[in-house]
PDB file of all heavy atoms in Angstrom:
ATOM      1  N   THR A 154      94.633  91.630  78.664  1.00  0.00           N
ATOM      2  CA  THR A 154      93.850  92.378  77.645  1.00  0.00           C
ATOM      3  C   THR A 154      92.344  92.410  78.080  1.00  0.00           C
ATOM      4  O   THR A 154      91.534  92.155  77.303  1.00  0.00           O
ATOM      5  CB  THR A 154      93.957  91.814  76.217  1.00  0.00           C
ATOM      6  OG1 THR A 154      93.574  90.494  76.219  1.00  0.00           O
ATOM      7  CG2 THR A 154      95.445  91.878  75.809  1.00  0.00           C
ATOM      8  N   PRO A 155      92.100  92.841  79.344  1.00  0.00           N
ATOM      9  CA  PRO A 155      90.733  92.762  79.893  1.00  0.00           C
ATOM     10  C   PRO A 155      89.842  93.767  79.096  1.00  0.00           C
ATOM     11  O   PRO A 155      88.657  93.525  79.067  1.00  0.00           O
ATOM     12  CB  PRO A 155      90.922  93.240  81.305  1.00  0.00           C
ATOM     13  CG  PRO A 155      92.104  93.988  81.389  1.00  0.00           C
ATOM     14  CD  PRO A 155      93.033  93.388  80.331  1.00  0.00           C
ATOM     15  N   GLU A 156      90.385  94.690  78.428  1.00  0.00           N
ATOM     16  CA  GLU A 156      89.571  95.653  77.631  1.00  0.00           C
ATOM     17  C   GLU A 156      88.854  94.927  76.459  1.00  0.00           C
ATOM     18  O   GLU A 156      87.875  95.470  75.904  1.00  0.00           O
ATOM     19  CB  GLU A 156      90.276  96.830  77.295  1.00  0.00           C
ATOM     20  CG  GLU A 156      91.310  96.645  76.172  1.00  0.00           C
ATOM     21  CD  GLU A 156      92.685  95.939  76.698  1.00  0.00           C
ATOM     22  OE1 GLU A 156      92.860  95.804  77.912  1.00  0.00           O
ATOM     23  OE2 GLU A 156      93.473  95.589  75.878  1.00  0.00           O
ATOM     24  N   THR A 157      89.456  93.886  75.999  1.00  0.00           N
ATOM     25  CA  THR A 157      88.959  93.165  74.793  1.00  0.00           C
ATOM     26  C   THR A 157      87.770  92.321  75.023  1.00  0.00           C
ATOM     27  O   THR A 157      86.988  92.108  74.160  1.00  0.00           O
ATOM     28  CB  THR A 157      90.136  92.364  74.156  1.00  0.00           C
ATOM     29  OG1 THR A 157      91.240  93.274  73.859  1.00  0.00           O
ATOM     30  CG2 THR A 157      89.658  91.664  72.855  1.00  0.00           C
ATOM     31  N   PHE A 158      87.683  91.718  76.239  1.00  0.00           N
ATOM     32  CA  PHE A 158      86.594  90.667  76.475  1.00  0.00           C
ATOM     33  C   PHE A 158      85.730  91.126  77.544  1.00  0.00           C
ATOM     34  O   PHE A 158      86.102  91.626  78.674  1.00  0.00           O
ATOM     35  CB  PHE A 158      87.408  89.381  76.917  1.00  0.00           C
ATOM     36  CG  PHE A 158      88.330  88.946  75.821  1.00  0.00           C
ATOM     37  CD1 PHE A 158      89.740  89.050  76.094  1.00  0.00           C
ATOM     38  CD2 PHE A 158      87.873  88.418  74.644  1.00  0.00           C
ATOM     39  CE1 PHE A 158      90.636  88.593  75.138  1.00  0.00           C
ATOM     40  CE2 PHE A 158      88.754  88.077  73.608  1.00  0.00           C
ATOM     41  CZ  PHE A 158      90.119  88.081  73.851  1.00  0.00           C
ATOM     42  N   ALA A 159      84.471  90.873  77.353  1.00  0.00           N
ATOM     43  CA  ALA A 159      83.457  91.174  78.311  1.00  0.00           C
ATOM     44  C   ALA A 159      83.344  90.127  79.316  1.00  0.00           C
ATOM     45  O   ALA A 159      82.875  90.432  80.448  1.00  0.00           O
ATOM     46  CB  ALA A 159      82.010  91.220  77.539  1.00  0.00           C
ATOM     47  N   CYS A 160      83.823  88.938  79.083  1.00  0.00           N
ATOM     48  CA  CYS A 160      83.829  87.900  80.170  1.00  0.00           C
ATOM     49  C   CYS A 160      84.675  86.726  79.584  1.00  0.00           C
ATOM     50  O   CYS A 160      84.990  86.682  78.435  1.00  0.00           O
ATOM     51  CB  CYS A 160      82.482  87.449  80.535  1.00  0.00           C
ATOM     52  SG  CYS A 160      81.411  86.903  79.277  1.00  0.00           S
ATOM     53  N   GLY A 161      84.937  85.667  80.439  1.00  0.00           N
ATOM     54  CA  GLY A 161      85.795  84.574  80.019  1.00  0.00           C
ATOM     55  C   GLY A 161      85.315  83.310  80.713  1.00  0.00           C
ATOM     56  O   GLY A 161      84.896  83.248  81.852  1.00  0.00           O
ATOM     57  N   VAL A 162      85.522  82.204  79.967  1.00  0.00           N
ATOM     58  CA  VAL A 162      85.190  80.858  80.477  1.00  0.00           C
ATOM     59  C   VAL A 162      86.452  79.965  80.279  1.00  0.00           C
ATOM     60  O   VAL A 162      86.744  79.682  79.152  1.00  0.00           O
ATOM     61  CB  VAL A 162      83.945  80.229  79.796  1.00  0.00           C
ATOM     62  CG1 VAL A 162      83.730  78.813  80.318  1.00  0.00           C
ATOM     63  CG2 VAL A 162      82.725  81.092  79.976  1.00  0.00           C
ATOM     64  N   ASP A 163      87.143  79.665  81.358  1.00  0.00           N
ATOM     65  CA  ASP A 163      88.404  78.862  81.354  1.00  0.00           C
ATOM     66  C   ASP A 163      88.070  77.429  81.817  1.00  0.00           C
ATOM     67  O   ASP A 163      87.543  77.249  82.905  1.00  0.00           O
ATOM     68  CB  ASP A 163      89.377  79.541  82.301  1.00  0.00           C
ATOM     69  CG  ASP A 163      90.387  78.564  82.847  1.00  0.00           C
ATOM     70  OD1 ASP A 163      90.793  77.620  82.064  1.00  0.00           O
ATOM     71  OD2 ASP A 163      90.697  78.673  84.105  1.00  0.00           O
ATOM     72  N   ILE A 164      88.406  76.435  80.958  1.00  0.00           N
ATOM     73  CA  ILE A 164      88.182  75.057  81.349  1.00  0.00           C
ATOM     74  C   ILE A 164      89.608  74.450  81.399  1.00  0.00           C
ATOM     75  O   ILE A 164      90.312  74.412  80.416  1.00  0.00           O
ATOM     76  CB  ILE A 164      87.364  74.290  80.251  1.00  0.00           C
ATOM     77  CG1 ILE A 164      86.162  75.097  79.959  1.00  0.00           C
ATOM     78  CG2 ILE A 164      87.074  72.883  80.662  1.00  0.00           C
ATOM     79  CD1 ILE A 164      85.453  74.725  78.592  1.00  0.00           C
ATOM     80  N   VAL A 165      89.998  73.927  82.567  1.00  0.00           N
ATOM     81  CA  VAL A 165      91.262  73.275  82.768  1.00  0.00           C
ATOM     82  C   VAL A 165      92.490  74.004  82.206  1.00  0.00           C
ATOM     83  O   VAL A 165      93.343  73.451  81.562  1.00  0.00           O
ATOM     84  CB  VAL A 165      91.199  71.865  82.371  1.00  0.00           C
ATOM     85  CG1 VAL A 165      90.184  71.057  83.183  1.00  0.00           C
ATOM     86  CG2 VAL A 165      91.000  71.597  80.850  1.00  0.00           C
ATOM     87  N   GLY A 166      92.477  75.333  82.460  1.00  0.00           N
ATOM     88  CA  GLY A 166      93.525  76.118  81.891  1.00  0.00           C
ATOM     89  C   GLY A 166      94.601  76.320  82.896  1.00  0.00           C
ATOM     90  O   GLY A 166      94.348  76.634  84.136  1.00  0.00           O
ATOM     91  N   PRO A 167      95.962  76.328  82.551  1.00  0.00           N
ATOM     92  CA  PRO A 167      96.933  76.562  83.485  1.00  0.00           C
ATOM     93  C   PRO A 167      97.079  78.090  83.806  1.00  0.00           C
ATOM     94  O   PRO A 167      97.047  78.908  82.870  1.00  0.00           O
ATOM     95  CB  PRO A 167      98.233  76.123  82.735  1.00  0.00           C
ATOM     96  CG  PRO A 167      97.925  76.117  81.255  1.00  0.00           C
ATOM     97  CD  PRO A 167      96.500  75.938  81.168  1.00  0.00           C
ATOM     98  N   SER A 168      97.301  78.407  85.065  1.00  0.00           N
ATOM     99  CA  SER A 168      97.432  79.818  85.477  1.00  0.00           C
ATOM    100  C   SER A 168      98.811  80.234  85.747  1.00  0.00           C
ATOM    101  O   SER A 168      99.258  81.319  85.817  1.00  0.00           O
ATOM    102  CB  SER A 168      96.550  80.012  86.692  1.00  0.00           C
ATOM    103  OG  SER A 168      96.990  79.304  87.811  1.00  0.00           O
ATOM    104  N   ASN A 169      99.692  79.162  86.078  1.00  0.00           N
ATOM    105  CA  ASN A 169     101.041  79.397  86.422  1.00  0.00           C
ATOM    106  C   ASN A 169     101.990  78.481  85.673  1.00  0.00           C
ATOM    107  O   ASN A 169     101.905  77.291  85.842  1.00  0.00           O
ATOM    108  CB  ASN A 169     101.184  79.082  87.912  1.00  0.00           C
ATOM    109  CG  ASN A 169     102.564  79.425  88.440  1.00  0.00           C
ATOM    110  OD1 ASN A 169     103.623  79.375  87.707  1.00  0.00           O
ATOM    111  ND2 ASN A 169     102.701  79.645  89.762  1.00  0.00           N
ATOM    112  N   LEU A 170     102.760  79.005  84.696  1.00  0.00           N
ATOM    113  CA  LEU A 170     103.501  78.127  83.782  1.00  0.00           C
ATOM    114  C   LEU A 170     104.636  77.420  84.549  1.00  0.00           C
ATOM    115  O   LEU A 170     105.005  76.391  84.115  1.00  0.00           O
ATOM    116  CB  LEU A 170     103.989  78.921  82.619  1.00  0.00           C
ATOM    117  CG  LEU A 170     102.894  79.509  81.706  1.00  0.00           C
ATOM    118  CD1 LEU A 170     103.560  80.101  80.539  1.00  0.00           C
ATOM    119  CD2 LEU A 170     101.937  78.473  81.285  1.00  0.00           C
ATOM    120  N   LYS A 171     105.129  77.915  85.657  1.00  0.00           N
ATOM    121  CA  LYS A 171     106.173  77.361  86.367  1.00  0.00           C
ATOM    122  C   LYS A 171     105.659  76.020  87.068  1.00  0.00           C
ATOM    123  O   LYS A 171     106.286  75.034  86.910  1.00  0.00           O
ATOM    124  CB  LYS A 171     106.826  78.312  87.471  1.00  0.00           C
ATOM    125  CG  LYS A 171     107.572  79.439  86.829  1.00  0.00           C
ATOM    126  CD  LYS A 171     108.407  80.109  87.886  1.00  0.00           C
ATOM    127  CE  LYS A 171     107.642  80.669  88.971  1.00  0.00           C
ATOM    128  NZ  LYS A 171     108.425  81.419  90.025  1.00  0.00           N
ATOM    129  N   THR A 172     104.534  76.204  87.712  1.00  0.00           N
ATOM    130  CA  THR A 172     104.015  74.977  88.276  1.00  0.00           C
ATOM    131  C   THR A 172     103.456  74.002  87.274  1.00  0.00           C
ATOM    132  O   THR A 172     103.493  72.796  87.488  1.00  0.00           O
ATOM    133  CB  THR A 172     102.816  75.376  89.384  1.00  0.00           C
ATOM    134  OG1 THR A 172     101.909  76.176  88.830  1.00  0.00           O
ATOM    135  CG2 THR A 172     103.493  76.145  90.525  1.00  0.00           C
ATOM    136  N   LEU A 173     102.976  74.463  86.161  1.00  0.00           N
ATOM    137  CA  LEU A 173     102.544  73.605  85.080  1.00  0.00           C
ATOM    138  C   LEU A 173     103.606  72.709  84.632  1.00  0.00           C
ATOM    139  O   LEU A 173     103.521  71.439  84.578  1.00  0.00           O
ATOM    140  CB  LEU A 173     102.023  74.375  83.909  1.00  0.00           C
ATOM    141  CG  LEU A 173     101.718  73.559  82.702  1.00  0.00           C
ATOM    142  CD1 LEU A 173     100.413  72.810  82.841  1.00  0.00           C
ATOM    143  CD2 LEU A 173     101.581  74.538  81.415  1.00  0.00           C
ATOM    144  N   LEU A 174     104.806  73.285  84.306  1.00  0.00           N
ATOM    145  CA  LEU A 174     105.967  72.448  83.851  1.00  0.00           C
ATOM    146  C   LEU A 174     106.471  71.611  84.913  1.00  0.00           C
ATOM    147  O   LEU A 174     107.206  70.552  84.591  1.00  0.00           O
ATOM    148  CB  LEU A 174     106.919  73.329  83.152  1.00  0.00           C
ATOM    149  CG  LEU A 174     106.760  73.454  81.536  1.00  0.00           C
ATOM    150  CD1 LEU A 174     105.459  74.213  81.298  1.00  0.00           C
ATOM    151  CD2 LEU A 174     107.940  74.062  80.954  1.00  0.00           C
ATOM    152  N   ALA A 175     106.309  72.040  86.145  1.00  0.00           N
ATOM    153  CA  ALA A 175     106.912  71.183  87.303  1.00  0.00           C
ATOM    154  C   ALA A 175     106.041  70.036  87.635  1.00  0.00           C
ATOM    155  O   ALA A 175     106.465  69.183  88.390  1.00  0.00           O
ATOM    156  CB  ALA A 175     107.049  72.145  88.534  1.00  0.00           C
ATOM    157  N   SER A 176     104.862  69.904  87.029  1.00  0.00           N
ATOM    158  CA  SER A 176     103.947  68.877  87.475  1.00  0.00           C
ATOM    159  C   SER A 176     103.381  68.076  86.251  1.00  0.00           C
ATOM    160  O   SER A 176     102.345  67.497  86.396  1.00  0.00           O
ATOM    161  CB  SER A 176     102.755  69.549  88.273  1.00  0.00           C
ATOM    162  OG  SER A 176     102.008  70.457  87.444  1.00  0.00           O
ATOM    163  N   VAL A 177     104.029  68.093  85.127  1.00  0.00           N
ATOM    164  CA  VAL A 177     103.554  67.345  84.044  1.00  0.00           C
ATOM    165  C   VAL A 177     103.647  65.866  84.403  1.00  0.00           C
ATOM    166  O   VAL A 177     104.478  65.442  85.231  1.00  0.00           O
ATOM    167  CB  VAL A 177     104.293  67.676  82.732  1.00  0.00           C
ATOM    168  CG1 VAL A 177     104.123  69.015  82.324  1.00  0.00           C
ATOM    169  CG2 VAL A 177     105.785  67.362  82.776  1.00  0.00           C
ATOM    170  N   PRO A 178     102.886  64.953  83.756  1.00  0.00           N
ATOM    171  CA  PRO A 178     102.916  63.581  83.975  1.00  0.00           C
ATOM    172  C   PRO A 178     104.298  62.993  83.728  1.00  0.00           C
ATOM    173  O   PRO A 178     105.020  63.449  82.741  1.00  0.00           O
ATOM    174  CB  PRO A 178     101.892  62.939  83.109  1.00  0.00           C
ATOM    175  CG  PRO A 178     100.969  64.055  82.695  1.00  0.00           C
ATOM    176  CD  PRO A 178     101.849  65.269  82.743  1.00  0.00           C
ATOM    177  N   PRO A 179     104.750  61.965  84.511  1.00  0.00           N
ATOM    178  CA  PRO A 179     106.080  61.540  84.252  1.00  0.00           C
ATOM    179  C   PRO A 179     106.249  60.911  82.805  1.00  0.00           C
ATOM    180  O   PRO A 179     107.345  60.998  82.203  1.00  0.00           O
ATOM    181  CB  PRO A 179     106.237  60.418  85.247  1.00  0.00           C
ATOM    182  CG  PRO A 179     104.886  60.042  85.767  1.00  0.00           C
ATOM    183  CD  PRO A 179     104.139  61.390  85.642  1.00  0.00           C
ATOM    184  N   TYR A 180     105.223  60.312  82.270  1.00  0.00           N
ATOM    185  CA  TYR A 180     105.336  59.717  80.948  1.00  0.00           C
ATOM    186  C   TYR A 180     105.431  60.848  79.792  1.00  0.00           C
ATOM    187  O   TYR A 180     105.431  60.429  78.613  1.00  0.00           O
ATOM    188  CB  TYR A 180     104.173  58.757  80.631  1.00  0.00           C
ATOM    189  CG  TYR A 180     102.763  59.215  80.986  1.00  0.00           C
ATOM    190  CD1 TYR A 180     102.051  60.127  80.168  1.00  0.00           C
ATOM    191  CD2 TYR A 180     102.175  58.909  82.231  1.00  0.00           C
ATOM    192  CE1 TYR A 180     100.752  60.599  80.482  1.00  0.00           C
ATOM    193  CE2 TYR A 180     100.897  59.414  82.528  1.00  0.00           C
ATOM    194  CZ  TYR A 180     100.199  60.163  81.636  1.00  0.00           C
ATOM    195  OH  TYR A 180      98.983  60.625  82.029  1.00  0.00           O
ATOM    196  N   TRP A 181     105.389  62.150  80.179  1.00  0.00           N
ATOM    197  CA  TRP A 181     105.727  63.128  79.150  1.00  0.00           C
ATOM    198  C   TRP A 181     107.250  63.382  78.995  1.00  0.00           C
ATOM    199  O   TRP A 181     107.648  64.354  78.391  1.00  0.00           O
ATOM    200  CB  TRP A 181     104.968  64.424  79.563  1.00  0.00           C
ATOM    201  CG  TRP A 181     103.571  64.404  79.161  1.00  0.00           C
ATOM    202  CD1 TRP A 181     102.768  63.440  78.838  1.00  0.00           C
ATOM    203  CD2 TRP A 181     102.786  65.594  79.113  1.00  0.00           C
ATOM    204  NE1 TRP A 181     101.493  63.788  78.583  1.00  0.00           N
ATOM    205  CE2 TRP A 181     101.456  65.213  78.730  1.00  0.00           C
ATOM    206  CE3 TRP A 181     102.964  66.970  79.286  1.00  0.00           C
ATOM    207  CZ2 TRP A 181     100.388  66.122  78.500  1.00  0.00           C
ATOM    208  CZ3 TRP A 181     101.914  67.873  79.156  1.00  0.00           C
ATOM    209  CH2 TRP A 181     100.622  67.368  78.732  1.00  0.00           C
ATOM    210  N   ALA A 182     108.074  62.525  79.632  1.00  0.00           N
ATOM    211  CA  ALA A 182     109.491  62.788  79.663  1.00  0.00           C
ATOM    212  C   ALA A 182     110.077  62.881  78.304  1.00  0.00           C
ATOM    213  O   ALA A 182     110.997  63.646  78.028  1.00  0.00           O
ATOM    214  CB  ALA A 182     110.144  61.623  80.406  1.00  0.00           C
ATOM    215  N   SER A 183     109.615  62.041  77.410  1.00  0.00           N
ATOM    216  CA  SER A 183     110.144  62.189  76.024  1.00  0.00           C
ATOM    217  C   SER A 183     109.776  63.397  75.280  1.00  0.00           C
ATOM    218  O   SER A 183     110.452  63.739  74.268  1.00  0.00           O
ATOM    219  CB  SER A 183     109.584  60.932  75.237  1.00  0.00           C
ATOM    220  OG  SER A 183     108.178  61.012  74.990  1.00  0.00           O
ATOM    221  N   PHE A 184     108.797  64.182  75.843  1.00  0.00           N
ATOM    222  CA  PHE A 184     108.375  65.410  75.141  1.00  0.00           C
ATOM    223  C   PHE A 184     108.813  66.665  75.906  1.00  0.00           C
ATOM    224  O   PHE A 184     108.676  67.786  75.469  1.00  0.00           O
ATOM    225  CB  PHE A 184     106.866  65.379  75.077  1.00  0.00           C
ATOM    226  CG  PHE A 184     106.392  66.483  74.225  1.00  0.00           C
ATOM    227  CD1 PHE A 184     106.433  66.564  72.809  1.00  0.00           C
ATOM    228  CD2 PHE A 184     105.632  67.632  74.823  1.00  0.00           C
ATOM    229  CE1 PHE A 184     105.935  67.620  72.026  1.00  0.00           C
ATOM    230  CE2 PHE A 184     105.098  68.638  73.989  1.00  0.00           C
ATOM    231  CZ  PHE A 184     105.252  68.609  72.632  1.00  0.00           C
ATOM    232  N   PHE A 185     109.506  66.410  77.089  1.00  0.00           N
ATOM    233  CA  PHE A 185     109.863  67.529  77.863  1.00  0.00           C
ATOM    234  C   PHE A 185     110.720  68.616  77.186  1.00  0.00           C
ATOM    235  O   PHE A 185     110.530  69.794  77.480  1.00  0.00           O
ATOM    236  CB  PHE A 185     110.334  67.095  79.246  1.00  0.00           C
ATOM    237  CG  PHE A 185     110.454  68.292  80.215  1.00  0.00           C
ATOM    238  CD1 PHE A 185     109.359  68.663  80.910  1.00  0.00           C
ATOM    239  CD2 PHE A 185     111.625  69.020  80.446  1.00  0.00           C
ATOM    240  CE1 PHE A 185     109.414  69.674  81.832  1.00  0.00           C
ATOM    241  CE2 PHE A 185     111.738  70.074  81.294  1.00  0.00           C
ATOM    242  CZ  PHE A 185     110.612  70.435  82.033  1.00  0.00           C
ATOM    243  N   GLU A 186     111.673  68.144  76.465  1.00  0.00           N
ATOM    244  CA  GLU A 186     112.553  69.116  75.768  1.00  0.00           C
ATOM    245  C   GLU A 186     111.771  70.037  74.814  1.00  0.00           C
ATOM    246  O   GLU A 186     112.079  71.162  74.688  1.00  0.00           O
ATOM    247  CB  GLU A 186     113.706  68.343  75.147  1.00  0.00           C
ATOM    248  CG  GLU A 186     114.622  67.640  75.993  1.00  0.00           C
ATOM    249  CD  GLU A 186     115.331  68.527  77.123  1.00  0.00           C
ATOM    250  OE1 GLU A 186     115.514  69.744  76.810  1.00  0.00           O
ATOM    251  OE2 GLU A 186     115.603  67.998  78.186  1.00  0.00           O
ATOM    252  N   GLN A 187     110.805  69.406  74.104  1.00  0.00           N
ATOM    253  CA  GLN A 187     109.943  70.238  73.293  1.00  0.00           C
ATOM    254  C   GLN A 187     109.189  71.292  74.083  1.00  0.00           C
ATOM    255  O   GLN A 187     109.074  72.392  73.714  1.00  0.00           O
ATOM    256  CB  GLN A 187     109.044  69.376  72.490  1.00  0.00           C
ATOM    257  CG  GLN A 187     109.715  68.672  71.248  1.00  0.00           C
ATOM    258  CD  GLN A 187     109.924  69.725  70.158  1.00  0.00           C
ATOM    259  OE1 GLN A 187     109.053  70.454  69.814  1.00  0.00           O
ATOM    260  NE2 GLN A 187     111.080  69.583  69.549  1.00  0.00           N
ATOM    261  N   LEU A 188     108.675  70.863  75.262  1.00  0.00           N
ATOM    262  CA  LEU A 188     107.889  71.821  76.098  1.00  0.00           C
ATOM    263  C   LEU A 188     108.782  72.872  76.473  1.00  0.00           C
ATOM    264  O   LEU A 188     108.415  74.116  76.420  1.00  0.00           O
ATOM    265  CB  LEU A 188     107.399  71.078  77.345  1.00  0.00           C
ATOM    266  CG  LEU A 188     106.084  70.249  77.154  1.00  0.00           C
ATOM    267  CD1 LEU A 188     105.828  69.492  78.543  1.00  0.00           C
ATOM    268  CD2 LEU A 188     104.832  71.183  76.912  1.00  0.00           C
ATOM    269  N   ALA A 189     110.007  72.559  77.004  1.00  0.00           N
ATOM    270  CA  ALA A 189     110.886  73.690  77.380  1.00  0.00           C
ATOM    271  C   ALA A 189     111.290  74.585  76.313  1.00  0.00           C
ATOM    272  O   ALA A 189     111.396  75.771  76.481  1.00  0.00           O
ATOM    273  CB  ALA A 189     112.142  72.921  77.954  1.00  0.00           C
TER     274      ALA A 189
END
């Protein structure tokens, strides 16, 4: 929606949801089903 915003500031934001979910910390195992 680039027409809505004059500019943007992204801090530690994921750009690729596939690589994000493939690289979560191992101790998130108990939460992974919720993420999925």
